[in-house]
Amino acid sequence: MVSNCVASASIGCLFCCQGCNAEKLRNDFTFLPPAPSYAVEGCVEGGRAGKLQYVLEALRNFSFYQQAAEHAEVHFVRTGRGERIPIVWVRNSSSPASGSPGNRSSGQQPIVLLHCHGNATDIGMMMAAYLEMTRQLGCEVVGVEYSGYGASSGKPSASNTLADAEAAYNFLLSSGIAPERIVVYGQSVGSGPAMALAARRPMGGCVLHSPMLSGIRVIDPQPDSCCRPSCVFCCFDFFRNDQHIKSVNCPVFVMHGRMDDVIPLYHGLRLSDAAPKNCRWPGYFPKDAGHNDIIERNSAAYFGEVCAFLRNVQERVHGGSVNCNLPARSIGKPAQMEMSEVGKGPNGAARPYVEPTVGPNDGRYENIRRAGAPSGA
């Protein structure tokens, strides 16, 4: 309890230092937009699509990122809060893997993953991951950029990210994508806008990758004791995934590394348990993975788990069976999966890129949980 009290007092001091501006404290502590990794050329809002051009030399010289850009188109959309954000649509021109849920040989339309990234990256840095998803899963990926990130206007905030995800979803509908073909995918802080969207709009499914129970609960030192920050400052809490998940009407798949020191494992476990029983897909909780390396630790297991989930979504869309290279999963206890060699792809070959860092690595959340001040505060 003492650590909870000290952590709450620390937050109170930071609140006073920010002029008692809860929104400013929340945004400064949560969002870490990097220097833009890309620019957009040839795009007209509401008109023709543009192309993504990397401004980071490391990405320009990386062939897999170049391939990703070649398979992508960028559209600018206007959010409900008046900001102008780019969304990148990565399509897969190659044949999807045998049994993947987007197998076009069967005449089925592919699933569209609406991806909400973490707080320390942008859609340019995520392009290689998006391309690999399309190739391994046979789906299409639409990456949402946040206000204040990359080529977007505005400033990052919890309210803006919710509007950003909503605008991207509306764009998909206006492009002829049926709601049941959309699977929203929220990674790290992206679990906030993804979960909120799934709670209020119809869709085929929701994937939560290293999610949080809520914005403030990330910094609770002792989550089940009194005087914890999320209790003391509950009126300022945001990204209430713990509440929103109770309102979903689509399948929810949660994955969380057991060694996560940014957002502790119990966040993922409790969210998985909180999903309505008829929407709860068995979670994936790899034992050696942390916050930023679930895919890298064992990409074969990761893609296998996501494939099984998307296959279930596809079956709901088309009302028939879709062959997959995995046995059917039943609702039940989370699977225990052993880890294979780091850096290997599903076929055993070296993976073509390194998994991006999507969450903060400056220790800000861990420091508060240890009742200290966040780095850089």
Side-chain angles (χ1 to χ4, degrees):
M1 187 180 85
V2 173
S3 59
N4 278 347
C5 293
V6 175
S8 295
S10 299
I11 293 295
C13 291
L14 290 172
F15 177 62
C16 293
C17 291
Q18 294 283 6
C20 297
N21 187 328
E23 182 75 4
K24 187 176 188 303
L25 174 62
R26 197 160 49 201
N27 296 339
D28 289 348
F29 194 60
T30 303
F31 299 101
L32 302 165
S37 68
Y38 67 95
V40 179
E41 295 186 359
C43 184
V44 177
E45 184 179 337
R48 69 176 183 272
K51 299 299 290 185
L52 187 144
Q53 302 289 335
Y54 301 112
V55 298
L56 289 184
E57 184 176 359
L59 301 186
R60 285 201 307 266
N61 297 333
F62 206 139
S63 62
F64 199 71
Y65 275 88
Q66 288 296 340
Q67 292 176 44
E70 292 168 3
H71 285 85
E73 58 188 41
V74 181
H75 302 266
F76 275 100
V77 298
R78 189 70 62 172
T79 76
R81 294 175 62 86
E83 304 300 344
R84 183 174 182 262
I85 65 166
I87 61 173
V88 62
W89 197 324
V90 184
R91 304 179 191 272
N92 180 18
S93 61
S94 63
S95 298
S98 175
S100 63
N103 197 328
R104 290 170 177 79
S105 62
S106 64
Q108 296 176 349
Q109 292 296 312
I111 294 296
V112 178
L113 283 183
L114 182 58
H115 191 279
C116 301
H117 61 69
N119 62 359
T121 187
D122 64 18
I123 58 174
M125 298 176 186
M126 295 298 300
M127 288 295 288
Y130 293 163
L131 180 60
E132 188 172 24
M133 284 180 174
T134 69
R135 292 185 171 180
Q136 297 295 337
L137 302 170
C139 63
E140 297 181 356
V141 178
V142 173
V144 182
E145 192 59 286
Y146 302 142
S147 300
Y149 279 70
S152 296
S153 67
K155 296 182 179 180
S157 72
S159 298
N160 273 341
T161 58
L162 299 178
D164 299 336
E166 186 96 25
Y169 177 89
N170 289 336
F171 177 82
L172 290 181
L173 296 185
S174 68
S175 300
I177 305 299
E180 59 269 19
R181 284 177 55 203
I182 300 172
V183 173
V184 68
Y185 187 121
Q187 185 168 5
S188 188
V189 77
S191 64
M195 189 75 265
L197 188 65
R200 65 177 182 266
R201 301 297 295 270
M203 61 184 58
C206 177
V207 179
L208 301 178
H209 181 150
S210 304
M212 61 181 74
L213 283 163
S214 75
I216 294 183
R217 292 183 73 172
V218 170
I219 57 176
D220 283 345
Q222 296 176 294
D224 297 316
S225 298
C226 66
C227 297
R228 60 191 181 274
S230 64
C231 180
V232 175
F233 299 102
C234 61
C235 57
F236 299 139
D237 209 350
F238 59 106
F239 290 154
R240 292 302 306 269
N241 294 340
D242 54 342
Q243 297 298 320
H244 291 149
I245 199 167
K246 299 174 184 177
S247 301
V248 297
N249 292 303
C250 64
V252 179
F253 171 38
V254 179
M255 65 183 84
H256 210 116
R258 293 183 179 272
M259 302 300 291
D260 194 328
D261 60 0
V262 177
I263 300 177
L265 170 66
Y266 76 85
H267 286 254
L269 292 172
R270 293 185 183 185
L271 280 173
S272 186
D273 287 342
K277 188 173 182 180
N278 63 331
C279 297
R280 190 184 309 150
W281 187 261
Y284 172 49
F285 306 104
K287 67 179 183 181
D288 291 337
H291 191 72
N292 293 308
D293 62 356
I294 286 181
I295 305 174
E296 186 175 341
R297 282 286 170 180
N298 188 345
S299 61
Y302 165 82
F303 284 113
E305 293 288 324
V306 178
C307 173
F309 178 74
L310 296 185
R311 178 189 58 193
N312 177 267
V313 174
Q314 189 78 295
E315 289 174 348
R316 290 167 179 256
V317 172
H318 296 285
S321 62
V322 177
N323 292 326
C324 190
N325 54 3
L326 291 173
R329 292 279 303 281
S330 58
I331 302 297
K333 297 180 68 175
Q336 303 294 316
M337 302 201 67
E338 295 302 317
M339 313 311 283
S340 64
E341 186 175 352
V342 173
K344 297 297 185 181
N347 60 0
R351 295 182 64 244
Y353 72 100
V354 177
E355 187 173 355
T357 297
V358 298
N361 55 13
D362 61 0
R364 59 181 55 204
Y365 301 148
E366 302 95 304
N367 288 342
I368 284 288
R369 289 196 294 267
R370 290 196 296 268
S375 300

